[in-house]
PDB file of all heavy atoms in Angstrom:
ATOM      1  N   ALA A  27       0.592   2.204  -0.865  1.00 36.00           N
ATOM      2  CA  ALA A  27       1.417   3.398  -0.969  1.00 36.00           C
ATOM      3  C   ALA A  27       1.252   4.271   0.265  1.00 36.00           C
ATOM      4  O   ALA A  27       0.183   4.332   0.873  1.00 36.00           O
ATOM      5  CB  ALA A  27       1.035   4.186  -2.220  1.00 36.00           C
ATOM      6  N   GLN A  40      -6.728  19.117  -7.418  1.00 92.00           N
ATOM      7  CA  GLN A  40      -7.445  19.420  -8.655  1.00 92.00           C
ATOM      8  C   GLN A  40      -6.554  20.350  -9.476  1.00 92.00           C
ATOM      9  O   GLN A  40      -6.385  21.520  -9.155  1.00 92.00           O
ATOM     10  CB  GLN A  40      -8.784  20.112  -8.345  1.00 92.00           C
ATOM     11  CG  GLN A  40      -9.869  19.190  -7.849  1.00 92.00           C
ATOM     12  CD  GLN A  40     -10.432  18.338  -8.977  1.00 92.00           C
ATOM     13  OE1 GLN A  40     -10.570  18.789 -10.106  1.00 92.00           O
ATOM     14  NE2 GLN A  40     -10.760  17.099  -8.669  1.00 92.00           N
ATOM     15  N   PHE A  55       1.914  18.764 -30.201  1.00 87.00           N
ATOM     16  CA  PHE A  55       2.280  19.921 -29.379  1.00 87.00           C
ATOM     17  C   PHE A  55       2.067  21.234 -30.124  1.00 87.00           C
ATOM     18  O   PHE A  55       1.463  22.173 -29.607  1.00 87.00           O
ATOM     19  CB  PHE A  55       3.748  19.788 -28.947  1.00 87.00           C
ATOM     20  CG  PHE A  55       4.305  21.014 -28.297  1.00 87.00           C
ATOM     21  CD1 PHE A  55       4.030  21.298 -26.972  1.00 87.00           C
ATOM     22  CD2 PHE A  55       5.111  21.892 -29.014  1.00 87.00           C
ATOM     23  CE1 PHE A  55       4.544  22.437 -26.366  1.00 87.00           C
ATOM     24  CE2 PHE A  55       5.627  23.030 -28.420  1.00 87.00           C
ATOM     25  CZ  PHE A  55       5.348  23.302 -27.092  1.00 87.00           C
ATOM     26  N   THR A  57       0.201  22.035 -32.744  1.00 83.00           N
ATOM     27  CA  THR A  57      -1.201  22.360 -33.016  1.00 83.00           C
ATOM     28  C   THR A  57      -1.889  22.856 -31.754  1.00 83.00           C
ATOM     29  O   THR A  57      -2.615  23.868 -31.779  1.00 83.00           O
ATOM     30  CB  THR A  57      -1.938  21.122 -33.561  1.00 83.00           C
ATOM     31  OG1 THR A  57      -1.238  20.625 -34.696  1.00 83.00           O
ATOM     32  CG2 THR A  57      -3.358  21.472 -33.958  1.00 83.00           C
ATOM     33  N   ASP A  93       9.470  19.404 -28.002  1.00 81.00           N
ATOM     34  CA  ASP A  93      10.908  19.398 -27.758  1.00 81.00           C
ATOM     35  C   ASP A  93      11.339  20.737 -27.164  1.00 81.00           C
ATOM     36  O   ASP A  93      12.445  21.222 -27.415  1.00 81.00           O
ATOM     37  CB  ASP A  93      11.674  19.098 -29.043  1.00 81.00           C
ATOM     38  CG  ASP A  93      11.266  20.013 -30.194  1.00 81.00           C
ATOM     39  OD1 ASP A  93      10.457  20.934 -29.953  1.00 81.00           O
ATOM     40  OD2 ASP A  93      11.751  19.822 -31.326  1.00 81.00           O
ATOM     41  N   LYS A 129      -6.202  30.342  -7.993  1.00 93.00           N
ATOM     42  CA  LYS A 129      -4.890  30.298  -7.343  1.00 93.00           C
ATOM     43  C   LYS A 129      -4.540  28.881  -6.892  1.00 93.00           C
ATOM     44  O   LYS A 129      -3.404  28.421  -7.054  1.00 93.00           O
ATOM     45  CB  LYS A 129      -4.871  31.249  -6.143  1.00 93.00           C
ATOM     46  CG  LYS A 129      -3.528  31.325  -5.434  1.00 93.00           C
ATOM     47  CD  LYS A 129      -3.578  32.323  -4.281  1.00 93.00           C
ATOM     48  CE  LYS A 129      -2.248  32.382  -3.550  1.00 93.00           C
ATOM     49  NZ  LYS A 129      -2.293  33.329  -2.408  1.00 93.00           N
ATOM     50  N   TYR A 169     -14.931  28.722  -9.122  1.00 94.00           N
ATOM     51  CA  TYR A 169     -13.870  29.163 -10.033  1.00 94.00           C
ATOM     52  C   TYR A 169     -12.980  27.994 -10.436  1.00 94.00           C
ATOM     53  O   TYR A 169     -12.532  27.907 -11.589  1.00 94.00           O
ATOM     54  CB  TYR A 169     -13.036  30.267  -9.373  1.00 94.00           C
ATOM     55  CG  TYR A 169     -13.565  31.661  -9.625  1.00 94.00           C
ATOM     56  CD1 TYR A 169     -14.762  32.089  -9.059  1.00 94.00           C
ATOM     57  CD2 TYR A 169     -12.887  32.552 -10.439  1.00 94.00           C
ATOM     58  CE1 TYR A 169     -15.264  33.365  -9.283  1.00 94.00           C
ATOM     59  CE2 TYR A 169     -13.369  33.830 -10.688  1.00 94.00           C
ATOM     60  CZ  TYR A 169     -14.563  34.224 -10.107  1.00 94.00           C
ATOM     61  OH  TYR A 169     -15.049  35.482 -10.354  1.00 94.00           O
ATOM     62  N   LYS A 174     -11.490  24.193 -14.792  1.00 94.00           N
ATOM     63  CA  LYS A 174     -11.466  22.818 -15.287  1.00 94.00           C
ATOM     64  C   LYS A 174     -12.300  22.708 -16.562  1.00 94.00           C
ATOM     65  O   LYS A 174     -11.880  22.070 -17.545  1.00 94.00           O
ATOM     66  CB  LYS A 174     -12.008  21.884 -14.207  1.00 94.00           C
ATOM     67  CG  LYS A 174     -11.882  20.399 -14.523  1.00 94.00           C
ATOM     68  CD  LYS A 174     -12.351  19.564 -13.332  1.00 94.00           C
ATOM     69  CE  LYS A 174     -12.154  18.076 -13.597  1.00 94.00           C
ATOM     70  NZ  LYS A 174     -12.593  17.252 -12.435  1.00 94.00           N
ATOM     71  N   GLY A 209     -18.641  30.298 -22.448  1.00 85.00           N
ATOM     72  CA  GLY A 209     -17.888  29.057 -22.617  1.00 85.00           C
ATOM     73  C   GLY A 209     -18.799  27.840 -22.566  1.00 85.00           C
ATOM     74  O   GLY A 209     -18.634  26.883 -23.347  1.00 85.00           O
ATOM     75  N   TYR A 269     -28.780  38.653 -40.605  1.00 93.00           N
ATOM     76  CA  TYR A 269     -28.911  39.846 -39.755  1.00 93.00           C
ATOM     77  C   TYR A 269     -27.918  39.771 -38.588  1.00 93.00           C
ATOM     78  O   TYR A 269     -27.253  40.761 -38.244  1.00 93.00           O
ATOM     79  CB  TYR A 269     -30.338  39.961 -39.218  1.00 93.00           C
ATOM     80  CG  TYR A 269     -30.486  40.995 -38.121  1.00 93.00           C
ATOM     81  CD1 TYR A 269     -30.563  42.357 -38.425  1.00 93.00           C
ATOM     82  CD2 TYR A 269     -30.521  40.595 -36.778  1.00 93.00           C
ATOM     83  CE1 TYR A 269     -30.676  43.309 -37.414  1.00 93.00           C
ATOM     84  CE2 TYR A 269     -30.646  41.533 -35.762  1.00 93.00           C
ATOM     85  CZ  TYR A 269     -30.713  42.881 -36.086  1.00 93.00           C
ATOM     86  OH  TYR A 269     -30.823  43.826 -35.078  1.00 93.00           O
ATOM     87  N   VAL A 291     -20.258  31.704 -42.386  1.00 94.00           N
ATOM     88  CA  VAL A 291     -21.722  31.764 -42.464  1.00 94.00           C
ATOM     89  C   VAL A 291     -22.149  32.106 -43.892  1.00 94.00           C
ATOM     90  O   VAL A 291     -23.060  31.484 -44.459  1.00 94.00           O
ATOM     91  CB  VAL A 291     -22.293  32.797 -41.462  1.00 94.00           C
ATOM     92  CG1 VAL A 291     -23.791  33.012 -41.704  1.00 94.00           C
ATOM     93  CG2 VAL A 291     -22.056  32.331 -40.028  1.00 94.00           C
ATOM     94  N   TYR A 305     -12.920  37.577 -45.850  1.00 95.00           N
ATOM     95  CA  TYR A 305     -11.621  36.917 -45.698  1.00 95.00           C
ATOM     96  C   TYR A 305     -10.484  37.862 -46.102  1.00 95.00           C
ATOM     97  O   TYR A 305      -9.409  37.859 -45.484  1.00 95.00           O
ATOM     98  CB  TYR A 305     -11.555  35.639 -46.540  1.00 95.00           C
ATOM     99  CG  TYR A 305     -12.507  34.555 -46.087  1.00 95.00           C
ATOM    100  CD1 TYR A 305     -13.035  33.639 -46.996  1.00 95.00           C
ATOM    101  CD2 TYR A 305     -12.891  34.431 -44.753  1.00 95.00           C
ATOM    102  CE1 TYR A 305     -13.900  32.628 -46.589  1.00 95.00           C
ATOM    103  CE2 TYR A 305     -13.752  33.431 -44.337  1.00 95.00           C
ATOM    104  CZ  TYR A 305     -14.261  32.534 -45.268  1.00 95.00           C
ATOM    105  OH  TYR A 305     -15.121  31.544 -44.864  1.00 95.00           O
ATOM    106  N   GLU A 358       2.176  26.526 -46.498  1.00 92.00           N
ATOM    107  CA  GLU A 358       3.503  27.127 -46.354  1.00 92.00           C
ATOM    108  C   GLU A 358       3.576  28.025 -45.121  1.00 92.00           C
ATOM    109  O   GLU A 358       4.629  28.139 -44.489  1.00 92.00           O
ATOM    110  CB  GLU A 358       3.853  27.922 -47.614  1.00 92.00           C
ATOM    111  CG  GLU A 358       4.163  27.027 -48.813  1.00 92.00           C
ATOM    112  CD  GLU A 358       4.279  27.797 -50.108  1.00 92.00           C
ATOM    113  OE1 GLU A 358       3.984  29.025 -50.093  1.00 92.00           O
ATOM    114  OE2 GLU A 358       4.640  27.196 -51.139  1.00 92.00           O
ATOM    115  N   GLY A 464     -12.571  -4.594 -32.901  1.00 90.00           N
ATOM    116  CA  GLY A 464     -13.133  -5.044 -31.634  1.00 90.00           C
ATOM    117  C   GLY A 464     -14.188  -6.127 -31.720  1.00 90.00           C
ATOM    118  O   GLY A 464     -14.801  -6.468 -30.705  1.00 90.00           O
ATOM    119  N   PRO A 481      -3.409 -24.534 -42.345  1.00 90.00           N
ATOM    120  CA  PRO A 481      -3.053 -24.434 -40.922  1.00 90.00           C
ATOM    121  C   PRO A 481      -1.649 -23.873 -40.707  1.00 90.00           C
ATOM    122  O   PRO A 481      -0.679 -24.614 -40.559  1.00 90.00           O
ATOM    123  CB  PRO A 481      -3.166 -25.878 -40.430  1.00 90.00           C
ATOM    124  CG  PRO A 481      -2.948 -26.715 -41.641  1.00 90.00           C
ATOM    125  CD  PRO A 481      -3.472 -25.935 -42.809  1.00 90.00           C
ATOM    126  N   ASP A 511       5.905 -24.880 -28.241  1.00 88.00           N
ATOM    127  CA  ASP A 511       7.303 -25.156 -28.592  1.00 88.00           C
ATOM    128  C   ASP A 511       7.853 -24.162 -29.611  1.00 88.00           C
ATOM    129  O   ASP A 511       9.023 -23.775 -29.545  1.00 88.00           O
ATOM    130  CB  ASP A 511       7.432 -26.578 -29.149  1.00 88.00           C
ATOM    131  CG  ASP A 511       7.083 -27.628 -28.099  1.00 88.00           C
ATOM    132  OD1 ASP A 511       7.339 -27.363 -26.903  1.00 88.00           O
ATOM    133  OD2 ASP A 511       6.550 -28.691 -28.477  1.00 88.00           O
ATOM    134  N   GLY A 522      -0.024 -16.285 -18.951  1.00 91.00           N
ATOM    135  CA  GLY A 522      -0.135 -15.353 -17.829  1.00 91.00           C
ATOM    136  C   GLY A 522      -1.354 -14.463 -17.954  1.00 91.00           C
ATOM    137  O   GLY A 522      -2.087 -14.237 -16.980  1.00 91.00           O
ATOM    138  N   GLY A 536     -16.930 -12.460  -6.702  1.00 89.00           N
ATOM    139  CA  GLY A 536     -16.802 -12.680  -5.260  1.00 89.00           C
ATOM    140  C   GLY A 536     -16.163 -14.003  -4.886  1.00 89.00           C
ATOM    141  O   GLY A 536     -16.188 -14.398  -3.712  1.00 89.00           O
ATOM    142  N   SER A 546      -2.188 -16.439  -8.728  1.00 89.00           N
ATOM    143  CA  SER A 546      -0.959 -17.127  -8.354  1.00 89.00           C
ATOM    144  C   SER A 546      -0.379 -17.879  -9.559  1.00 89.00           C
ATOM    145  O   SER A 546       0.829 -17.860  -9.807  1.00 89.00           O
ATOM    146  CB  SER A 546      -1.220 -18.096  -7.204  1.00 89.00           C
ATOM    147  OG  SER A 546      -0.033 -18.714  -6.776  1.00 89.00           O
ATOM    148  N   TYR A 573       0.758 -15.740   6.965  1.00 47.00           N
ATOM    149  CA  TYR A 573       1.915 -16.513   7.428  1.00 47.00           C
ATOM    150  C   TYR A 573       1.718 -18.021   7.340  1.00 47.00           C
ATOM    151  O   TYR A 573       2.471 -18.774   7.932  1.00 47.00           O
ATOM    152  CB  TYR A 573       2.326 -16.116   8.856  1.00 47.00           C
ATOM    153  CG  TYR A 573       2.448 -14.627   9.003  1.00 47.00           C
ATOM    154  CD1 TYR A 573       1.693 -13.923   9.914  1.00 47.00           C
ATOM    155  CD2 TYR A 573       3.316 -13.917   8.170  1.00 47.00           C
ATOM    156  CE1 TYR A 573       1.791 -12.550  10.021  1.00 47.00           C
ATOM    157  CE2 TYR A 573       3.419 -12.544   8.278  1.00 47.00           C
ATOM    158  CZ  TYR A 573       2.656 -11.866   9.197  1.00 47.00           C
ATOM    159  OH  TYR A 573       2.756 -10.514   9.278  1.00 47.00           O
ATOM    160  N   ARG A 576       1.114 -21.147   2.157  1.00 67.00           N
ATOM    161  CA  ARG A 576       0.694 -20.652   0.842  1.00 67.00           C
ATOM    162  C   ARG A 576       0.871 -19.128   0.768  1.00 67.00           C
ATOM    163  O   ARG A 576       1.235 -18.591  -0.268  1.00 67.00           O
ATOM    164  CB  ARG A 576      -0.766 -21.028   0.589  1.00 67.00           C
ATOM    165  CG  ARG A 576      -1.215 -20.823  -0.850  1.00 67.00           C
ATOM    166  CD  ARG A 576      -2.525 -21.500  -1.129  1.00 67.00           C
ATOM    167  NE  ARG A 576      -3.603 -20.953  -0.323  1.00 67.00           N
ATOM    168  CZ  ARG A 576      -4.792 -20.576  -0.817  1.00 67.00           C
ATOM    169  NH1 ARG A 576      -5.040 -20.717  -2.094  1.00 67.00           N
ATOM    170  NH2 ARG A 576      -5.722 -20.113  -0.031  1.00 67.00           N
ATOM    171  N   VAL A 602      18.678   3.659 -23.471  1.00 39.00           N
ATOM    172  CA  VAL A 602      18.420   5.080 -23.710  1.00 39.00           C
ATOM    173  C   VAL A 602      19.466   5.984 -23.066  1.00 39.00           C
ATOM    174  O   VAL A 602      19.269   7.180 -22.970  1.00 39.00           O
ATOM    175  CB  VAL A 602      17.020   5.477 -23.180  1.00 39.00           C
ATOM    176  CG1 VAL A 602      15.941   4.724 -23.888  1.00 39.00           C
ATOM    177  CG2 VAL A 602      16.927   5.236 -21.672  1.00 39.00           C
ATOM    178  N   SER A 605      20.316   8.755 -25.203  1.00 38.00           N
ATOM    179  CA  SER A 605      19.193   9.514 -25.771  1.00 38.00           C
ATOM    180  C   SER A 605      19.029  10.849 -25.066  1.00 38.00           C
ATOM    181  O   SER A 605      19.705  11.155 -24.092  1.00 38.00           O
ATOM    182  CB  SER A 605      17.902   8.703 -25.638  1.00 38.00           C
ATOM    183  OG  SER A 605      18.021   7.491 -26.323  1.00 38.00           O
ATOM    184  N   TYR A 624       6.632   0.221  -6.170  1.00 50.00           N
ATOM    185  CA  TYR A 624       5.941  -1.030  -5.875  1.00 50.00           C
ATOM    186  C   TYR A 624       6.878  -1.992  -5.136  1.00 50.00           C
ATOM    187  O   TYR A 624       6.478  -2.638  -4.171  1.00 50.00           O
ATOM    188  CB  TYR A 624       5.444  -1.677  -7.170  1.00 50.00           C
ATOM    189  CG  TYR A 624       4.564  -2.873  -6.897  1.00 50.00           C
ATOM    190  CD1 TYR A 624       3.275  -2.694  -6.408  1.00 50.00           C
ATOM    191  CD2 TYR A 624       5.037  -4.160  -7.074  1.00 50.00           C
ATOM    192  CE1 TYR A 624       2.479  -3.780  -6.126  1.00 50.00           C
ATOM    193  CE2 TYR A 624       4.247  -5.247  -6.793  1.00 50.00           C
ATOM    194  CZ  TYR A 624       2.960  -5.052  -6.328  1.00 50.00           C
ATOM    195  OH  TYR A 624       2.177  -6.133  -6.033  1.00 50.00           O
ATOM    196  N   GLU A 650      15.090 -14.889   0.051  1.00 48.00           N
ATOM    197  CA  GLU A 650      14.644 -14.201  -1.163  1.00 48.00           C
ATOM    198  C   GLU A 650      14.296 -12.754  -0.854  1.00 48.00           C
ATOM    199  O   GLU A 650      14.589 -11.841  -1.623  1.00 48.00           O
ATOM    200  CB  GLU A 650      13.437 -14.911  -1.764  1.00 48.00           C
ATOM    201  CG  GLU A 650      13.764 -16.226  -2.441  1.00 48.00           C
ATOM    202  CD  GLU A 650      12.568 -16.750  -3.212  1.00 48.00           C
ATOM    203  OE1 GLU A 650      12.039 -16.008  -4.051  1.00 48.00           O
ATOM    204  OE2 GLU A 650      12.164 -17.897  -2.982  1.00 48.00           O
ATOM    205  N   PHE A 741      22.236   7.449  10.530  1.00 47.00           N
ATOM    206  CA  PHE A 741      21.354   7.321  11.682  1.00 47.00           C
ATOM    207  C   PHE A 741      21.055   8.688  12.302  1.00 47.00           C
ATOM    208  O   PHE A 741      19.907   9.043  12.558  1.00 47.00           O
ATOM    209  CB  PHE A 741      22.024   6.393  12.693  1.00 47.00           C
ATOM    210  CG  PHE A 741      21.209   6.147  13.931  1.00 47.00           C
ATOM    211  CD1 PHE A 741      19.933   5.627  13.825  1.00 47.00           C
ATOM    212  CD2 PHE A 741      21.715   6.429  15.186  1.00 47.00           C
ATOM    213  CE1 PHE A 741      19.173   5.385  14.950  1.00 47.00           C
ATOM    214  CE2 PHE A 741      20.955   6.192  16.314  1.00 47.00           C
ATOM    215  CZ  PHE A 741      19.686   5.667  16.206  1.00 47.00           C
ATOM    216  N   ASP A 757       9.254  26.651  14.892  1.00 39.00           N
ATOM    217  CA  ASP A 757       9.673  27.423  13.727  1.00 39.00           C
ATOM    218  C   ASP A 757      10.819  28.358  14.097  1.00 39.00           C
ATOM    219  O   ASP A 757      10.780  29.034  15.127  1.00 39.00           O
ATOM    220  CB  ASP A 757       8.497  28.253  13.190  1.00 39.00           C
ATOM    221  CG  ASP A 757       7.437  27.366  12.571  1.00 39.00           C
ATOM    222  OD1 ASP A 757       7.785  26.217  12.231  1.00 39.00           O
ATOM    223  OD2 ASP A 757       6.296  27.823  12.442  1.00 39.00           O
ATOM    224  N   PHE A 773      23.469  19.100   9.123  1.00 43.00           N
ATOM    225  CA  PHE A 773      23.942  17.770   8.729  1.00 43.00           C
ATOM    226  C   PHE A 773      25.451  17.652   8.919  1.00 43.00           C
ATOM    227  O   PHE A 773      25.961  16.671   9.437  1.00 43.00           O
ATOM    228  CB  PHE A 773      23.571  17.512   7.267  1.00 43.00           C
ATOM    229  CG  PHE A 773      24.102  16.213   6.732  1.00 43.00           C
ATOM    230  CD1 PHE A 773      23.482  15.023   7.070  1.00 43.00           C
ATOM    231  CD2 PHE A 773      25.218  16.175   5.919  1.00 43.00           C
ATOM    232  CE1 PHE A 773      23.955  13.826   6.577  1.00 43.00           C
ATOM    233  CE2 PHE A 773      25.700  14.987   5.433  1.00 43.00           C
ATOM    234  CZ  PHE A 773      25.067  13.805   5.761  1.00 43.00           C
ATOM    235  N   LEU A 776      26.341  17.349  12.616  1.00 47.00           N
ATOM    236  CA  LEU A 776      25.852  16.109  13.237  1.00 47.00           C
ATOM    237  C   LEU A 776      26.789  14.938  12.968  1.00 47.00           C
ATOM    238  O   LEU A 776      26.944  14.054  13.797  1.00 47.00           O
ATOM    239  CB  LEU A 776      24.469  15.767  12.700  1.00 47.00           C
ATOM    240  CG  LEU A 776      23.283  16.444  13.388  1.00 47.00           C
ATOM    241  CD1 LEU A 776      22.022  16.143  12.626  1.00 47.00           C
ATOM    242  CD2 LEU A 776      23.152  16.007  14.832  1.00 47.00           C
TER     243      LEU A 776
END
Side-chain angles (χ1 to χ4, degrees):
Q40 283 286 323
F55 170 79
T57 305
D93 52 5
K129 183 178 179 181
Y169 271 69
K174 187 176 183 179
Y269 168 79
V291 171
Y305 294 150
E358 288 170 353
D511 296 328
S546 183
Y573 311 121
R576 192 166 63 131
V602 298
S605 300
Y624 188 73
E650 287 190 54
F741 181 57
D757 291 340
F773 176 77
L776 275 173

